Amino acid sequence: MIRLANLDDLKYLKNYDYEVYDIEADINNNLVYIIEEKEIIGFLRYSLFWNRIPFINMLYIKDIYRNKGYGKELLNFFIKEMQNKRFENIMTSCVAKENGKMFFLKNNFNITGGFNPFKEGYELILDCEIGGRK
């Protein structure tokens, strides 16, 4: 099951998404989705790039649930939600050396650029057309 996060999820999210400034505000603004079965499996948190393009800030699946289709299920759910909101594209980023980029490339994202943020590894920018306008 996939649902919007609520304040009951705050402790879980703080354990796995500790870099976010104010996860409670993101929950209250409906910017976090939870995927769960008998327990929480993972989550997706997003914001709006330039206040108009959904940008996936974090897509996390617990290690024991990876490579079982949960990430793809969560991503597809998110895409449908954004299409319903009439968005045409979504974006994300990931460190070039991380394996996460392969997940997004396999799911119709394209590398559109990158940059070196704050003396960290090279960050790739990826986007995906979702055709939300009808």
Side-chain angles (χ1 to χ4, degrees):
M1 176 178 87
I2 299 173
R3 61 175 174 78
L4 284 169
N6 59 55
L7 293 178
D8 292 337
D9 303 313
L10 194 56
K11 183 178 178 182
Y12 171 86
L13 291 166
K14 283 185 176 183
N15 282 335
Y16 291 97
D17 197 7
Y18 49 86
E19 292 186 18
V20 68
Y21 177 71
D22 189 355
I23 191 70
E24 192 170 335
D26 287 351
I27 291 169
N28 289 330
N29 289 315
N30 295 325
L31 300 174
V32 184
Y33 291 95
I34 297 284
I35 184 167
E36 63 185 349
E37 283 188 357
K38 294 178 180 150
E39 67 174 342
I40 295 176
I41 293 168
F43 63 93
L44 183 151
R45 178 175 48 80
Y46 78 102
S47 61
L48 291 178
F49 186 78
W50 291 339
N51 294 319
R52 64 182 180 96
I53 303 169
F55 187 96
I56 299 170
N57 295 309
M58 173 78 82
L59 192 161
Y60 176 80
I61 302 294
K62 285 183 182 177
D63 288 344
I64 61 171
Y65 294 105
R66 290 184 184 168
N67 299 310
K68 297 181 179 175
Y70 293 109
K72 185 176 179 79
E73 181 181 349
L74 183 54
L75 178 62
N76 287 339
F77 181 91
F78 176 71
I79 289 170
K80 287 284 186 201
E81 290 288 299
M82 296 305 104
Q83 287 171 328
N84 289 340
K85 293 179 180 189
R86 301 180 51 98
F87 288 107
E88 295 179 354
N89 298 74
I90 58 176
M91 296 174 62
T92 193
S93 71
C94 60
V95 177
K97 291 182 181 180
E98 290 179 351
N99 292 332
K101 72 178 175 290
M102 296 310 297
F103 170 80
F104 288 106
L105 292 173
K106 283 192 265 184
N107 285 284
N108 300 317
F109 280 74
N110 298 298
I111 297 170
T112 58
F115 62 102
N116 286 309
F118 313 113
K119 300 181 184 176
E120 295 180 17
Y122 190 72
E123 188 84 5
L124 297 171
I125 302 293
L126 300 101
D127 77 341
C128 179
E129 290 185 35
I130 60 170
R133 301 225 184 256
K134 295 177 180 154

